[in-house]
Amino acid sequence: MSTTVDPDRTIDVVGVAYHRPRLSHMQKRNLWGFLFTLPALCFFLVFAIIPIARTFYLSFFTFSVVEKPVFAGWENYRALLDDQRFHASLVNSFAYVFMTYIPVAIIALALALALNVRLRAVGFFRTLYFIPVVMSWVVVSAIWKMIFNRQGLMNAFFLEPFGIAPKNWLTDQDWAPRAIVIMSVWKEVGFFMVVFLAGLQQIPSDYYEAARVDGASGWQLFRSITMPLLRPTLLFVSVIGMITGLQVFVPQWVMTQGGPVTATLVMSLNIYQTAFVFLKGGTAAAMSVVLFLIIGSVTLVQFWLNRLGAND
Amino acid sequence: MADTTKQAIPGAVGPRRSPWPRIRWGHVLLYVALIAFAVLILMPFAYMVSTAFKTRGEVFTQPVQWIPRQINLDNFRDALAAYPITRYFWNSVIVGVSVTVLNLVTCSLAGYGFAKFPFMGRNLLFGIVLATMMIPLSSMIIPLFLVVKWLGWVDTYWGLIVPAGTSAFGIFLMRQHMASIPDDLLDAARLDGAGEPRIFASIVLPLSKTALSSLAIFIFMWNWDSVLWPLLVATGDRYRTLPLGVALFESSYGTNYPQLMAVALLAMLPVLIVFLVLQRNFVEAMTLSGVKG
Amino acid sequence: MTNRGAGPRTGGHRVDRRTLAKGAIGAAATAALATSLPVAPAAAQDKTVIKFWTHTHPPMVELNKALVADFMAANPDIEVQYEIIPNNEFATKMLASMGTGTGPDIINMDDAQMRSTYIPKGLVQEVDPANMGYGSLDDLKAAYIPTALEGSTVDGKVYGVPSEFNVTAMAVNDAAFTEVGLDPKAPPADWTAVTEQGAKLVVKDGDTFTRRGFDFTYLHAGWYHNLFGTLLLQTGGRVVAEDGTTVTVAEAPSVEALHIWYDLIWKEPKIADPTVANQDATVPYQDFLDGKVAMMPFNPWGMGLITSDSVVADTWSIAPLPQKHPGSAGTPEATPVSADGAGPVTPLYAYYWSVNALTTDEKKKAAAFKFIGYISSFPGRWLKESSFIQPKTGWEDSEEAKELPFFEVWSSEMLKGQFLPVTPAGEQVDTLMKSALEQSLLSGEDPQEALDGVKPQIEAAIASS
């Protein structure tokens, strides 16, 4: 019989051995933390992780909604190299992101700066500009389809009265993407304006006071105080803009179905059409994986660039 | 030495140069610009509203007619008669409210867990959660549909509500906000002997009111707009949601723009109202939650 | 326990929020549960429940609803759940549902999809003549005109019966004709005449067409498939040869077909213009209805869309489709002519009622076929109420047929009719063709170049299918 005393074992009066509770307070607390995240994690597991994993898995197969999977190795990925529609969709998605979110950011920042001056009706304007954001894409697309109709508002109000020839917005290969960009800028500006406002309002006004005392001009204030302190906000804006923009789907689906030809075919829409119209589920799955990798890398690059910039 | 010019107005308090209020010209310009922009922003909206009250012939006129010849309620009446729009509306409300409530619960709990508890694997799990934001729905919709089918939830409210029960953005938002809750508060409560759930309910949640409001708006708004998922899950009028109703309307009466606009107007009112009611909280939340990244 | 949290924010809100949340969840859950309970009572009453889905075409939908009601009244043990699916997403929703086993028992699908996808992928089952009310398969076949079942027959097996049967003729705006001094009873019979007469019918406002002489529709891939297919039939061209692998889209006959269309837009006198054409697939013939185009290819069901509100309300007529080789004027050919351009030929297309291959439960299967047998037995009503032709043997002799506007034209055009060939990887090829056609028709690219460009893409699509 051992004579050493195991500090973790104690024998009580009745002779039954039990272990002192092994969890410290910290660990117990962390367990609670984990438990708090559990409901959400369960949802994710069942309704996100499993379907996503299955999609990634199926990217190595040939299948469709109406066919059983047949193993295909890297074939789907290899085929993407020659797929013209895929290339077009890549270009279109990035074009959409830059053509939409750069103007959005600039306009949103300008509006936020304007509203930050603490005018009386700030709340009113803020709410007003945010209204397009809360309208659903389906409704917005219906309205703008009318606006971009050959006899619609855009031509009748903004172009013809000024002698500019009316455009066939949604049937022209050059103008259809621009039409959707205009609509998207209109819809997104309000959201980013509020984001910038939040960021601006966190900059202590003392900084501005101090700099003004030193004789700094408006522009200098902007460049040396506002911009650097807005860095986290700018990062947020560019990351969200990139992630949302690269996945955009409803506007193109409702307005132009990716046309004319492939002018407005963006990646999500292409994935959808490839899976549901062409019945090539494997190819669509492969495109999904590629899209995910693209978004992931772009996001990482943005964080890295941000860190670089923050070091000066 | 008193500057007598400054005291030209009897009863005036303090130094004044003139009887007129100082016009900040900079501000005036700003107002003009803001109003101009507001007009631009509201124009499509106005176009929609005005078209909803027109007759078909009045729609595409040159020059643009902003005020219809007469306020025509026929479009609303006919649209409501053509399809059970009210049914679709209630479906959207039921689904929207349920999804929002589910999200408020799961995201606030998870946000708190991720923010304040450095448990093992936390960062990895959080990273995975965020990564799911990078996959569009169209990519995973069929496997997701199969999961829902296996659960027997096709063409039911469950199928429309539960898969949307949580969101990565929501967790991100709540985590950001809750990270800024002072630890001392929580530790003090712990010292008092409060259990973790109690602390969450009585301290954390009340402090997160504004973040919860903003989350509620976002989730309700996104869910209201959802069209691809309900298209697959719901068939027929029973569970059809409003965007699908608008799409159905476009399918059958496509070029009847006045009626289509009437339906669209009805479809957007609820979200607009929810937003207007909660918007003060929402903007505070954006300010407080700190988009610090 | 004494720590109530920091400051005024916590006062009184704690209970409110949680109770509110709980209450909301409870209410929502109860509502959801209460209303999501399946149609259990019906099953409990021993009713056979079958599901029937169609796309959205208001005249057809109304008649479907009426027939469903009548059928259920006559068959109290069967319940038919009828749903309409928005047109834009019809194909997607159907395929996704069929493929995941959540589709309806009775489907209503067009012949192109039937022959290219639904039948080959085993999504629909062979017809069951007995339950449909026929003695045998031969009896069923005899009940329809010879070409009627071609669109749903593969390898001699029949998978559905037609819900509508369409041939393409031409709609003519009589008022426009008389206005410019042309005789609406003598519309153009060939494409040269189309250009001549079309040029006189054109009305322009500056550079913009307010009325085009003749135009096609510019809608989704299926429309391009049908319209371009029409021209291909006339010139003897094909996108893919009969062997299923040789791509002949850039050969002379195919290019000639595209030129017929292209020249109307880009060669003087220009009488067509896609840029002003209606883009709404829901009302494809809107431009004709609005008087914006004087002549247009037209289907029988289009007549049901003309209302008293239409600009053409009382001044329209139907004429034979313009042909490359018109054949002897006024004499309808007795039999369809082969598609080698030697004579007039028109395209046929049809929608079919079929039963889901997964409907194997004997009761449901019997009920489904019984229903199809029922709704296909009212050709008169279909004609009258939705201008849908049900090509049953002897349909020309019915009262309603005689009342069908321009009945003689429709029936003589049908005699020259042929279904379009099925291409492998049909959907993909259709989409590629739409792009190529748009490149040429909308943007002006030379037809030969456009078709040369799409040829390798089609070859790749077929190879990988």
Side-chain angles (χ1 to χ4, degrees):
Chain A
M1 207 129 118
S2 162
T3 49
T4 53
V5 178
D6 183 340
D8 283 348
R9 292 188 77 213
T10 309
I11 302 188
D12 75 356
V13 182
V14 183
V16 176
Y18 71 95
H19 288 271
R20 200 162 7 113
R22 284 185 151 275
L23 292 179
S24 68
H25 273 298
M26 251 339 254
Q27 287 171 316
K28 207 169 161 196
R29 206 197 298 177
N30 282 342
L31 184 62
W32 271 112
F34 176 70
L35 286 177
F36 285 147
T37 64
L38 212 51
L41 288 180
C42 285
F43 274 96
F44 272 115
L45 183 68
V46 175
F47 299 110
I49 307 293
I50 289 181
I52 293 175
R54 180 125 183 101
T55 300
F56 282 23
Y57 171 70
L58 285 174
S59 70
F60 295 102
F61 288 74
T62 308
F63 78 100
S64 80
V65 197
V66 293
E67 280 165 318
K68 296 270 168 277
V70 172
F71 186 69
W74 290 99
E75 188 49 44
N76 292 328
Y77 291 96
R78 214 177 294 138
L80 289 180
L81 293 171
D82 295 322
D83 188 335
Q84 286 192 13
R85 275 175 65 92
F86 180 61
H87 299 157
S89 71
L90 272 173
V91 169
N92 289 335
S93 283
F94 276 102
Y96 174 83
V97 168
F98 289 117
M99 292 206 311
T100 305
Y101 289 95
I102 294 182
V104 163
I106 295 175
I107 299 175
L109 183 55
L111 285 175
L113 287 169
L115 288 180
N116 200 31
V117 175
R118 278 160 238 277
L119 302 172
R120 210 126 20 106
V122 171
F124 170 72
F125 282 114
R126 208 173 44 203
T127 309
L128 212 71
Y129 295 148
F130 204 81
I131 289 180
V133 181
V134 299
M135 289 167 67
S136 85
W137 271 118
V138 177
V139 167
V140 166
S141 305
I143 301 176
W144 282 85
K145 244 195 207 164
M146 229 177 70
I147 295 180
F148 282 123
N149 187 297
R150 200 142 191 300
Q151 297 135 306
L153 184 67
M154 192 54 97
N155 282 338
F157 194 78
F158 288 100
L159 295 185
E160 278 169 39
F162 300 100
I164 310 178
K167 311 223 176 299
N168 305 297
W169 289 95
L170 297 175
T171 47
D172 186 302
Q173 279 189 54
D174 296 319
W175 290 98
R178 294 171 195 170
I180 297 191
V181 164
I182 294 175
M183 176 177 75
S184 303
V185 169
W186 172 83
K187 192 174 185 310
E188 299 278 74
V189 143
F191 175 77
F192 291 97
M193 176 199 74
V194 168
V195 170
F196 276 125
L197 251 184
L200 285 174
Q201 283 172 355
Q202 287 184 313
I203 301 177
S205 45
D206 318 336
Y207 287 22
Y208 289 115
E209 291 307 311
R212 268 206 209 94
V213 165
D214 279 346
S217 72
W219 174 245
Q220 282 172 319
L221 285 174
F222 180 72
R223 244 192 62 207
S224 337
I225 298 179
T226 315
M227 286 305 279
L229 286 173
L230 269 184
R231 169 166 274 120
T233 314
L234 284 168
L235 177 67
F236 179 81
V237 165
S238 72
V239 167
I240 295 292
M242 215 22 123
I243 294 183
T244 338
L246 286 175
Q247 292 182 57
V248 72
F249 174 80
V250 178
Q252 288 82 358
W253 187 42
V254 178
M255 305 273 277
T256 54
Q257 296 272 316
V261 194
T262 51
T264 56
L265 185 69
V266 288
M267 286 197 276
S268 280
L269 184 57
N270 192 24
I271 291 173
Y272 170 80
Q273 288 179 343
T274 307
F276 287 98
V277 179
F278 304 151
L279 300 180
K280 297 178 75 175
T283 312
M287 288 197 251
S288 305
V289 173
V290 172
L291 178 59
F292 170 71
L293 292 173
I294 290 176
I295 297 181
S297 345
V298 160
T299 308
L300 286 175
V301 164
Q302 285 177 300
F303 274 103
W304 179 67
L305 281 176
N306 182 62
R307 198 169 303 167
L308 277 188
N311 284 341
D312 51 44
Chain B
M1 234 166 25
D3 184 349
T4 51
T5 55
K6 290 185 182 158
Q7 289 171 17
I9 308 303
V13 181
R16 278 183 76 108
R17 265 191 240 132
S18 82
W20 306 109
R22 277 177 54 192
I23 300 178
R24 304 268 298 268
W25 289 105
H27 278 195
V28 171
L29 267 167
L30 223 44
Y31 268 113
V32 168
L34 286 173
I35 291 175
F37 198 73
V39 169
L40 271 180
I41 286 274
L42 286 182
M43 212 182 277
F45 191 56
Y47 197 52
M48 165 176 91
V49 173
S50 104
T51 307
F53 293 101
K54 287 181 182 168
T55 56
R56 278 184 92 162
E58 291 176 270
V59 176
F60 289 129
T61 51
Q62 173 72 283
V64 181
Q65 237 177 341
W66 289 102
I67 308 196
R69 222 163 283 144
Q70 46 176 171
I71 304 292
N72 195 334
L73 285 180
D74 289 341
N75 297 320
F76 292 92
R77 209 196 45 213
D78 294 339
L80 287 169
Y83 288 112
I85 307 278
T86 37
R87 167 110 222 172
Y88 305 154
F89 172 82
W90 282 116
N91 285 337
S92 280
V93 168
I94 291 174
V95 172
V97 168
S98 314
V99 167
T100 304
V101 166
L102 258 185
N103 266 274
L104 287 176
V105 170
T106 56
C107 294
S108 58
L109 279 171
Y112 180 51
F114 280 123
K116 292 292 184 189
F117 297 87
F119 56 87
M120 186 175 66
R122 170 182 73 163
N123 288 336
L124 176 66
L125 280 174
F126 189 58
I128 292 179
V129 163
L130 287 187
T132 60
M133 281 205 289
M134 300 184 194
I135 318 258
L137 179 61
S138 55
S139 295
M140 55 174 190
I141 201 164
I142 286 298
L144 178 60
F145 184 74
L146 288 172
V147 168
V148 169
K149 178 192 165 201
W150 179 79
L151 288 164
W153 287 348
V154 176
D155 223 19
T156 63
Y157 281 124
W158 298 110
L160 287 170
I161 296 172
V162 181
T166 195
S167 87
F169 183 83
I171 296 181
F172 178 66
L173 197 69
M174 295 312 294
R175 177 195 177 275
Q176 289 301 92
H177 177 79
M178 286 170 175
S180 63
I181 296 179
D183 287 326
D184 315 337
L185 268 172
L186 308 170
D187 287 334
R190 286 177 189 129
L191 280 176
D192 273 349
E196 293 299 333
R198 184 81 186 270
I199 296 178
F200 176 73
S202 46
I203 300 176
V204 177
L205 275 187
L207 285 176
S208 311
K209 193 174 75 165
T210 47
L212 286 169
S213 292
S214 75
L215 182 62
I217 296 182
F218 275 124
I219 299 292
F220 190 76
M221 168 179 111
W222 282 335
N223 186 267
W224 195 263
D225 192 17
S226 169
V227 57
L228 186 56
W229 181 242
L231 173 69
L232 283 200
V233 172
T235 316
D237 288 342
R238 200 161 178 177
Y239 298 104
R240 201 166 258 152
T241 51
L242 212 40
L244 279 182
V246 175
L248 185 61
F249 210 87
E250 272 195 87
S251 278
S252 0
Y253 303 102
T255 48
N256 190 337
Y257 287 116
Q259 275 193 27
L260 183 58
M261 289 298 115
V263 174
L265 184 54
L266 290 175
M268 66 166 270
L269 278 179
V271 192
L272 199 56
I273 293 173
V274 166
F275 168 65
L276 289 174
V277 163
L278 290 177
Q279 51 98 10
R280 280 197 63 212
N281 291 343
F282 161 69
V283 178
E284 273 176 51
M286 290 304 289
T287 315
L288 289 172
S289 76
V291 273
K292 295 191 199 98
Chain C
M1 312 314 174
T2 54
N3 188 343
R4 295 295 305 266
R9 276 214 188 99
T10 57
H13 291 295
R14 169 171 54 108
V15 174
D16 284 338
R17 180 157 304 279
R18 282 182 79 197
T19 326
L20 191 64
K22 279 190 199 159
I25 300 177
T30 318
L33 264 174
T35 39
S36 73
L37 284 173
V39 195
Q45 284 160 30
D46 225 12
K47 266 194 186 194
T48 314
V49 178
I50 48 177
K51 297 193 289 182
F52 174 40
W53 295 356
T54 67
H55 63 282
T56 312
H57 179 68
M60 164 190 85
V61 167
E62 291 314 311
L63 186 49
N64 270 332
K65 284 186 184 168
L67 291 173
V68 164
D70 292 344
F71 179 77
M72 291 206 287
N75 298 274
D77 57 329
I78 303 179
E79 180 180 331
V80 179
Q81 292 176 344
Y82 176 50
E83 306 287 6
I84 44 179
I85 317 283
N87 287 342
N88 285 345
E89 296 95 26
F90 180 63
T92 306
K93 172 79 180 176
M94 284 303 303
L95 274 176
S97 307
M98 299 292 285
T100 51
T102 50
D105 300 294
I106 303 153
I107 68 172
N108 188 220
M109 189 50 69
D110 65 88
D111 67 281
Q113 287 266 355
M114 285 288 282
R115 288 179 294 155
S116 68
T117 310
Y118 282 73
I119 298 174
K121 308 282 186 207
L123 298 174
V124 290
Q125 49 176 301
E126 282 184 67
V127 291
D128 178 350
N131 274 314
M132 285 169 69
Y134 297 96
S136 66
L137 186 60
D138 287 330
D139 287 345
L140 193 160
K141 287 186 187 173
Y144 285 92
I145 69 177
T147 44
L149 299 171
E150 259 181 53
S152 65
T153 305
V154 170
D155 289 339
K157 303 193 187 151
V158 180
Y159 292 88
V161 291
S163 63
E164 56 178 292
F165 192 74
N166 294 297
V167 65
T168 307
M170 179 170 69
V172 170
N173 183 339
D174 293 343
F177 268 65
T178 26
E179 185 188 304
V180 301
L182 290 169
D183 179 8
K185 304 249 180 301
D190 62 44
W191 295 105
T192 323
V194 166
T195 311
E196 273 171 32
Q197 297 195 25
K200 297 194 185 126
L201 289 159
V202 164
V203 175
K204 275 184 159 185
D205 174 16
D207 275 334
T208 314
F209 283 92
T210 45
R211 185 172 69 209
R212 293 162 273 157
F214 175 100
D215 214 343
F216 293 91
T217 52
Y218 302 88
L219 302 168
H220 56 66
W223 279 93
Y224 278 106
H225 172 95
N226 276 356
L227 292 170
F228 188 53
T230 303
L231 297 172
L232 284 173
L233 278 181
Q234 294 187 7
T235 60
R238 281 180 76 115
V239 173
V240 178
E242 274 191 63
D243 62 8
T245 40
T246 319
V247 177
T248 50
V249 72
E251 309 286 320
S254 312
V255 178
E256 186 189 343
L258 182 51
H259 255 289
I260 294 178
W261 193 342
Y262 176 87
D263 291 348
L264 295 173
I265 305 169
W266 295 98
K267 191 171 146 195
E268 296 292 345
K270 302 180 184 173
I271 64 172
D273 186 4
T275 59
V276 297
N278 156 57
Q279 289 138 35
D280 234 303
T282 62
V283 248
Y285 300 124
Q286 196 60 41
D287 285 343
F288 178 76
L289 270 54
D290 291 340
K292 294 188 180 152
V293 63
M295 298 183 274
M296 190 174 225
F298 215 68
N299 295 116
W301 55 266
M303 300 193 296
L305 296 173
I306 304 178
T307 63
S308 49
D309 285 337
S310 313
V311 170
V312 295
D314 298 309
T315 61
W316 59 278
S317 59
I318 303 289
L321 189 66
Q323 297 277 345
K324 179 181 166 185
H325 300 283
S328 27
T331 316
E333 302 295 315
T335 50
V337 180
S338 68
D340 59 355
V345 60
T346 56
L348 296 172
Y349 85 92
Y351 270 76
Y352 291 89
W353 287 302
S354 300
V355 174
N356 194 331
L358 294 176
T359 303
T360 44
D361 170 82
E362 283 309 317
K363 273 198 180 165
K364 287 199 178 195
K365 194 171 140 179
F369 280 112
K370 190 171 183 192
F371 178 68
I372 295 182
Y374 180 78
I375 53 175
S376 61
S377 57
F378 300 99
R381 279 188 80 174
W382 281 102
L383 256 185
K384 197 158 160 191
E385 297 178 40
S386 26
S387 300
F388 273 20
I389 297 177
Q390 294 224 326
K392 292 201 136 172
T393 309
W395 79 277
E396 312 92 344
D397 301 324
S398 71
E399 279 304 308
E400 294 84 353
K402 306 243 165 49
E403 285 174 31
L404 183 75
F406 302 97
F407 160 71
E408 307 78 20
V409 181
W410 293 118
S411 70
S412 70
E413 292 295 278
M414 269 211 298
L415 290 171
K416 309 173 204 156
Q418 280 211 0
F419 275 95
L420 299 178
V422 181
T423 26
E427 289 298 332
Q428 257 187 293
V429 172
D430 279 350
T431 308
L432 290 168
M433 282 306 297
K434 175 176 183 253
S435 296
L437 291 171
E438 283 181 327
Q439 238 353 57
S440 179
L441 301 167
L442 271 61
S443 308
E445 188 178 349
D446 175 69
Q448 181 71 62
E449 284 174 29
L451 295 175
D452 280 335
V454 79
K455 179 172 170 198
Q457 295 177 43
I458 296 181
E459 284 168 341
I462 296 178
S464 68
S465 71

